Amino acid sequence: MTSPPQPSPPRGRSRPARVAAVAAIAVAAAGIGYLAAGREPASPAGITVEMAGKPGTNPHPEVTRTSGVSRIRSDSPGDPVKVRPCPGLAPYGTHDCPEASVVFVPDGTPAEIRCWTDSSAPEGYPADHKRWFYVVLAPGSPKPGLDGYIYSALIPVAEQIIAPTCTSRHWLEVHPPSPAPPDPGHGPAEAAAPRPSPLPATPAPAPTTRAPQPATPGPATPEPPRAEPPRPAPRTVREQSGSHGSPAFADPHGAKGPSGRIPAHTWVDVECRVYAPEIESANPDGWWYRIATGAWAGRYAVANTFMNGDAPGQKPPTHTDLSVPVC
């Protein structure tokens, strides 16, 4: 007896159909991965300055204000915020940026942004996020009118304004220089010589002549001693103290005999300079000025505490005015 025919097994899918199925699965997986990646944060948690430090005057296109007051926000809500005399951390310890001049203000203090500059990022922030704002504390703050630098992360984007790059002009707008006092070596102008009278001069009467009398011999009159010509006054150079003043000392070698402090932005006469590099803060040049003005006359102050002809904020600074003669 002949067996009934067995049903043949189903044929497998064709090769084109298998390729299409694999491609569809791959596309779906890629889409799932894209959506998952899109949900991850674009920057590390707590960092809100993802554009700070990038080139351009407007690193945040969403900043549209060009004026107005901004609010300082602490990176630890409720903690005070530092207003620093210099942008960044590197200049601390120098004469223009001592640690003692850092000021703490409350969280939420109002301030006016004047300009921005790039320096170095504080600890805990990415190294390339290095933008700082030069600000003046606004009315309503604990210290209105105080100026200094605030790290950009401490002024939220919503509080920022479009500001220019910092130049010495912005510093001078807040600290206009005092005019230099008149040079004491130049007195008032001499009185003008009287103009001759337009009337003819009356002739003087002729002197009466007398017969010459024989001279009576007498003791010889000693010739008076000749007066020495006056010595020229020592040449001095006008110098202006820096933004934190200039400590004065009786002896520059080792900074001995503290003798007060020349106030900030004060013009003084400098007689000459002395090389005394014994203390670290007198370097890199090691020069001191001998002062010839007022209560500091005869005292010494470190040369790098003076402006030395620089504009405020000039980089690199001039540590010594070499036009001052050596003592």
Side-chain angles (χ1 to χ4, degrees):
M1 175 185 273
T2 304
S3 312
Q6 299 293 329
S8 59
R11 293 185 177 181
R13 294 181 180 176
S14 63
R15 180 179 180 82
R18 288 197 304 270
V19 172
V22 172
I25 293 172
V27 170
I32 293 172
Y34 174 81
L35 293 175
R39 287 195 297 268
E40 293 186 5
S43 60
I47 302 299
T48 59
V49 289
E50 67 280 355
M51 292 294 290
K54 297 297 187 288
T57 58
N58 185 17
H60 293 283
E62 61 270 33
V63 177
T64 57
R65 290 192 302 142
T66 57
S67 62
V69 174
S70 304
R71 293 279 175 178
I72 301 171
R73 296 299 183 190
S74 174
D75 51 5
S76 298
D79 289 349
V81 177
K82 291 181 179 180
V83 180
R84 305 176 184 271
C86 294
L89 309 179
Y92 282 178
T94 66
H95 289 288
D96 287 335
C97 301
E99 290 280 1
S101 60
V102 175
V103 177
F104 290 84
V105 297
D107 190 5
T109 295
E112 299 175 358
I113 297 176
R114 296 299 182 90
C115 57
W116 63 265
T117 187
D118 287 342
S119 181
S120 57
E123 184 178 357
Y125 288 92
D128 60 340
H129 294 175
K130 51 189 177 181
R131 183 142 298 177
W132 294 76
F133 291 121
Y134 177 60
V135 304
V136 178
L137 299 190
S141 66
K143 298 183 179 182
L146 176 76
D147 65 306
Y149 292 88
I150 298 288
Y151 186 52
S152 57
L154 304 182
I155 300 181
V157 173
E159 294 286 338
Q160 297 178 16
I161 67 170
I162 300 174
T165 308
C166 289
T167 64
S168 59
R169 175 180 63 83
H170 298 98
W171 194 91
L172 288 172
E173 289 174 352
V174 181
H175 302 276
S178 57
D183 192 336
H186 295 162
E190 296 181 358
R195 299 179 61 185
S197 171
L199 300 179
T202 302
T208 303
T209 59
R210 298 178 61 183
Q213 299 294 326
T216 302
T221 303
E223 184 178 350
R226 295 183 180 182
E228 295 184 3
R231 296 181 179 180
R235 172 180 171 269
T236 59
V237 179
R238 306 288 281 172
E239 299 289 351
Q240 187 182 29
S241 59
S243 58
H244 295 283
S246 302
F249 297 88
D251 184 358
H253 297 283
K256 301 173 184 176
S259 305
R261 189 183 193 89
I262 302 173
H265 307 299
T266 299
W267 289 91
V268 296
D269 294 323
V270 172
E271 182 179 349
C272 56
R273 54 190 165 104
V274 173
Y275 184 67
E278 289 84 357
I279 65 172
E280 183 178 356
S281 59
N283 292 291
D285 288 2
W287 289 104
W288 294 65
Y289 291 151
R290 186 159 73 196
I291 312 301
T293 297
W296 311 286
R299 305 299 180 179
Y300 298 84
V302 177
N304 62 23
T305 63
F306 291 82
M307 299 300 292
N308 296 316
D310 288 353
Q314 178 174 323
K315 301 295 182 182
T318 302
H319 298 297
T320 306
D321 183 355
L322 298 181
S323 68
V324 176
V326 178
C327 296

